[in-house]
Amino acid sequence: MKSVTFFFALLVAANAFGQGKGYQFKLDLTRVVDDRVYVEVSTPKVSVEEITFYLPKIIPGTYAIADYGRYVQEFKAFDKSGKELVTEKTDVNGWKIKNAKKLSKITYWVDDIVDTKVDGAKIYPMAATDINDGKSFLINTSGFFGYLENMKNAPIKFDIIRPKQLYGSTGLVATDTGVPLAKLKKDNEPADNNKVVDRYSVENYDRLIDSPLLYAEPDTAIIRVANAEVLIGNYSPNHKITAKEIAGEVKEVLKAQAQFLGGKLPIDKYAFLFYFTDQPVNPYGALEHSYSSLYYMPETTIDKMKQQLRDFAAHEFFHIVTPLTIHSKEIHNFEFNEPKMSRHLWLYEGMTEYFAGSVQVKYGLITPDEYLNVIRSKMLTAANYRQDISFTDLSQYTLTQYGNQYGNVYQKGALIGMCLDIKLRKLSNGKYGVQNMIADLSKKYGKDRAFDDETLFDEIEKLTYPEIGNFLRTCVGGSEPLPFKEVFDDVGVDLTPEKPGKRFSTGFNSQALGVEEVEGVKRIKIANAAGLTAQGTSLGLKAGDVLVKANGKDLPNLGPELFLTLAQIRDNMNEGEDLSFTVLRKDSNDAYQPVELKAPIVKIDYMEKDILSFNANATPEQLATRKAWLTPQ
């Protein structure tokens, strides 16, 4: 059942534009000029003299200002007879329309976000648009479609005109696909049988922005997961990776997730949209939606990204629970241009990240020892963030003073989930964990009922135990450290704060690195000699050296593939063998000259921190709680 609030808002919107008529968008992928696409919208009837048309300032799931209006050009508004109305740009995302009672149509052009440089913050590529005429179109709907103020709840239909050879992958179910444009010819448009139309319909603007699309040459795969059909849509410009290969890697983790969630999913269709690029990209990653997730990643082969694909897919797929079925009023009534952030990123992102790892160990996709390494990695990374702020403040003010702390939601946020799970298992003698807690919250709220941000901890305490309410208030709503020693003791895991160790090194740490442009190409360089390790000193690396080859092989210029390559070199090192680099070093005339460096591989000393290991002498009680934590119930 829809909430009363939703019905009231829909009724108000219907009254504002007469007979319930909504928006009718047309996005023409066959009309591309200088990486720009043409958009046209027939608008609802407006009952006020002036009204503002907006593109979003921010969208759910990104926690960063985007200002999509920066990429709109030639904005125009027209009455029914085609006469242009007076418009005024009010801010970066808004256009005020005068004499708005006569408004009938709006048109504008949208720039390719990935390839267009404009003032302001860079938009995450997984939330951006990418336009490759005739080849591929990454359609994050927030970059193409806008709304009239106070008319966000009006129903929306949209047509996508596309070249016949392209296919649209999306979590939406089209009302019609592949309709020849000649059959829909209007306004004296020339007939063209190579152009076809896909038609979609959604209930409101929120659903539209929650529904990305990927248009490219067909490369898809279908996985049946419990009661849901899961679509893999893929674009790989050099065909290095296929939808079938991706499906093969994520299939088992998706099936494990279905079991983890009780064997029935809250969706009937879901889409994984993979957009790979052969251009340098940083950052890269994925963005969740209620019925789909979109991945913007560097193009590589399946062998180089198997576990990363599983981790990404596991995380994003779990968002069908949070925030689809559990979310606050701030998420339920999201304000695209006057955003109010929820206090509970630990739930939306942190708990989701915890589940992504937990499901893999529970169903044998990774070993318990491998899982301890995952936890340890998050502990080490979380230690680099501020420890003096509460997680609820980090969440609520992530757009302002705590933006540089956002990455901790995937580190400490997941560790909060782990602590909750173990504490619940201990208190319930193994019978109740965070899986059960999330299931109970889903039953209490669901996708059409939002919780109150201020009272969530109280509601969770009512469902669980007073100790859980105290933990949430002090360690999530407050800044007390997470009780690692206590919870690890409960499951028979030993935590050693630090001990001396040895490891292989490529010769430098991240503090040593910078970027240098050489003959128009940006490459990695040694910027700070203080970041060299003993291995780097033995090689003879110097500040200013530009890295071009390692062990005789060309290094990628920049981006994730470079660091993946360096990590692979380190992981394959053997003591006594040689490590070599080719660097570009400036001579006395300030000209770059290639220099060959070589030295035996040696292990360097370092201090290991937060070492986790299973206690072989754990008590029966600890083993029982451990079993409840790490195995399916």
Side-chain angles (χ1 to χ4, degrees):
M1 180 181 290
K2 298 290 184 184
S3 69
V4 173
T5 303
F6 175 84
F7 273 124
F8 178 73
L10 188 57
L11 180 62
V12 170
N15 288 338
F17 54 75
Q19 303 300 313
K21 179 187 175 186
Y23 299 88
Q24 175 69 62
F25 284 95
K26 181 172 72 174
L27 179 62
D28 193 344
L29 305 184
T30 69
R31 190 174 176 180
V32 179
V33 179
D34 296 331
D35 266 4
R36 294 186 301 158
V37 169
Y38 179 75
V39 181
E40 180 178 302
V41 53
S42 297
T43 60
K45 183 174 177 57
V46 177
S47 59
V48 294
E49 290 297 333
E50 292 186 346
I51 197 165
T52 301
F53 184 84
Y54 292 105
L55 261 76
K57 179 178 183 178
I58 185 175
I59 59 172
T62 55
Y63 310 103
I65 299 300
D67 285 334
Y68 289 99
R70 291 177 290 163
Y71 298 89
V72 170
Q73 296 185 27
E74 298 182 41
F75 181 90
K76 296 179 181 180
F78 302 90
D79 65 15
K80 190 179 295 185
S81 66
K83 181 181 178 182
E84 188 171 351
L85 301 176
V86 176
T87 63
E88 173 191 346
K89 201 167 193 311
T90 55
D91 59 33
V92 68
N93 299 303
W95 293 261
K96 182 175 288 185
I97 301 168
K98 307 295 180 74
N99 205 6
K101 287 183 178 181
K102 293 185 177 182
L103 178 64
S104 177
K105 183 173 72 173
I106 293 171
T107 67
Y108 49 90
W109 289 82
V110 174
D111 263 323
D112 179 327
I113 292 175
V114 170
D115 294 332
T116 304
K117 293 182 179 180
V118 298
D119 293 336
K122 186 177 180 180
I123 295 177
Y124 294 131
M126 47 281 198
T129 63
D130 204 348
I131 299 167
N132 293 297
D133 191 8
K135 294 182 180 179
S136 65
F137 296 86
L138 179 61
I139 302 175
N140 271 298
T141 45
S142 47
F144 290 98
F145 302 127
Y147 65 97
L148 293 167
E149 64 179 308
N150 299 322
M151 291 189 176
K152 194 163 61 75
N153 287 315
I156 296 170
K157 294 181 180 179
F158 66 99
D159 290 350
I160 294 185
I161 303 171
R162 61 173 169 90
K164 197 172 184 177
Q165 75 272 17
L166 301 188
Y167 175 80
S169 297
T170 177
L172 292 170
V173 177
T175 57
D176 212 341
T177 59
V179 180
L181 184 61
K183 290 185 177 181
L184 304 174
K185 187 163 66 79
K186 293 181 180 179
D187 301 329
N188 297 316
E189 292 178 4
D192 187 341
N193 290 325
N194 290 319
K195 298 180 181 181
V196 295
V197 180
D198 295 339
R199 319 199 86 167
Y200 302 90
S201 179
V202 293
E203 59 269 30
N204 55 32
Y205 189 74
D206 295 82
R207 182 75 166 94
L208 177 65
I209 301 308
D210 199 22
S211 306
L213 304 96
L214 167 60
Y215 274 82
E217 290 184 6
D219 181 15
T220 62
I222 298 290
I223 307 171
R224 192 74 196 178
V225 181
N227 55 292
E229 178 183 278
V230 177
L231 167 70
I232 310 289
N234 178 60
Y235 172 68
S236 175
N238 300 298
H239 308 291
K240 288 186 176 181
I241 188 169
T242 67
K244 184 178 179 180
E245 289 175 325
I246 295 170
E249 290 304 321
V250 303
K251 182 177 180 179
E252 293 308 314
V253 73
L254 296 183
K255 291 189 173 183
Q257 286 178 283
Q259 291 179 273
F260 188 90
L261 294 173
K264 183 173 175 58
L265 302 176
I267 54 169
D268 297 317
K269 180 185 177 182
Y270 190 89
F272 287 97
L273 309 180
F274 286 90
Y275 194 94
F276 293 97
T277 177
D278 55 6
Q279 300 300 308
V281 55
N282 188 30
Y284 67 91
L287 178 60
E288 81 274 6
H289 296 273
S290 299
Y291 302 90
S292 60
S293 48
L294 194 151
Y295 303 75
Y296 196 104
M297 303 176 71
E299 187 183 32
T300 187
T301 61
I302 192 72
D303 290 337
K304 293 182 179 180
M305 58 190 314
K306 287 182 177 181
Q307 187 57 45
Q308 186 178 56
L309 276 178
R310 288 193 286 265
D311 291 342
F312 274 15
H315 177 99
E316 303 305 337
F317 193 63
F318 267 129
H319 277 299
I320 61 176
V321 179
T322 56
L324 176 58
T325 59
I326 309 171
H327 53 258
S328 70
K329 293 175 182 177
E330 287 78 5
I331 303 296
H332 190 71
N333 302 306
F334 192 81
E335 293 295 339
F336 294 93
N337 289 83
E338 295 181 3
K340 296 177 181 177
M341 295 291 101
S342 170
R343 291 158 45 88
H344 296 295
L345 275 175
W346 69 272
L347 175 66
Y348 311 133
E349 295 293 345
M351 190 65 72
T352 301
E353 179 70 4
Y354 173 65
F355 281 161
S358 177
V359 70
Q360 293 187 65
V361 69
K362 279 180 180 288
Y363 291 91
L365 302 177
I366 59 175
T367 66
D369 285 315
E370 288 173 329
Y371 186 51
L372 284 191
N373 286 333
V374 171
I375 293 170
R376 178 177 179 243
S377 176
K378 292 189 180 300
M379 292 171 64
L380 294 173
T381 308
N384 295 321
Y385 291 91
R386 285 182 58 177
Q387 308 299 311
D388 62 335
I389 55 176
S390 71
F391 219 75
T392 49
D393 280 351
L394 183 160
S395 177
Q396 189 169 13
Y397 303 111
T398 192
L399 294 182
T400 52
Q401 64 260 47
Y402 298 139
N404 62 351
Q405 300 298 305
Y406 172 74
N408 207 14
V409 301
Y410 302 103
Q411 313 304 327
K412 185 178 178 181
L415 297 171
I416 289 170
M418 178 198 71
C419 292
L420 263 178
D421 201 10
I422 293 174
K423 289 175 78 67
L424 283 168
R425 292 294 179 189
K426 175 69 182 298
L427 289 165
S428 67
N429 294 319
K431 296 177 181 179
Y432 192 97
V434 288
Q435 286 173 260
N436 311 85
M437 183 190 83
I438 292 296
D440 287 345
L441 287 171
S442 296
K443 292 174 186 176
K444 182 177 180 64
Y445 295 104
K447 66 180 181 179
D448 296 319
R449 182 186 176 196
F451 63 76
D452 189 326
D453 239 33
E454 301 293 332
T455 63
L456 178 63
F457 292 163
D458 294 335
E459 295 300 326
I460 291 175
E461 182 175 330
K462 291 176 186 176
L463 288 172
T464 59
Y465 303 91
E467 293 91 336
I468 298 301
N470 181 63
F471 167 77
L472 291 171
R473 293 185 190 95
T474 56
C475 296
V476 183
S479 57
E480 285 193 18
L482 294 179
F484 289 129
K485 188 176 187 313
E486 172 194 326
V487 296
F488 286 135
D489 280 347
D490 288 339
V491 289
V493 170
D494 292 333
L495 169 61
T496 304
E498 63 178 26
K499 71 176 182 180
K502 289 182 176 291
R503 64 181 178 185
F504 291 118
S505 165
T506 52
F508 42 81
N509 58 36
S510 59
Q511 284 71 40
L513 301 178
V515 176
E516 183 83 1
E517 187 168 311
V518 181
E519 296 181 352
V521 177
K522 290 183 177 179
R523 292 184 173 275
I524 206 77
K525 73 170 183 179
I526 303 298
N528 180 9
L532 295 175
T533 65
Q535 180 74 69
T537 302
S538 69
L539 280 163
L541 285 167
K542 295 181 179 181
D545 285 351
V546 178
L547 309 181
V548 292
K549 289 186 178 182
N551 289 342
K553 295 182 179 180
D554 292 336
L555 287 171
N557 297 337
L558 286 176
E561 284 205 327
L562 169 66
F563 294 102
L564 179 62
T565 301
L566 292 171
Q568 289 172 337
I569 290 171
R570 185 193 62 227
D571 293 343
N572 290 311
M573 284 181 174
N574 293 301
E575 206 161 5
E577 294 179 358
D578 287 336
L579 173 65
S580 67
F581 278 99
T582 301
V583 302
L584 297 178
R585 182 177 293 172
K586 287 184 177 180
D587 60 18
S588 58
N589 296 317
D590 213 28
Y592 283 108
Q593 301 295 335
V595 177
E596 302 294 332
L597 305 174
K598 182 185 286 188
I601 294 171
V602 294
K603 286 187 174 181
I604 64 168
D605 295 324
Y606 83 113
M607 190 62 71
E608 288 189 88
K609 294 184 178 181
D610 293 334
I611 301 96
L612 300 178
S613 59
F614 289 107
N615 185 340
N617 299 311
T619 67
E621 183 182 8
Q622 288 172 320
L623 290 173
T625 308
R626 183 195 298 176
K627 181 179 179 181
W629 174 45
L630 295 179
T631 61
Q633 300 299 301

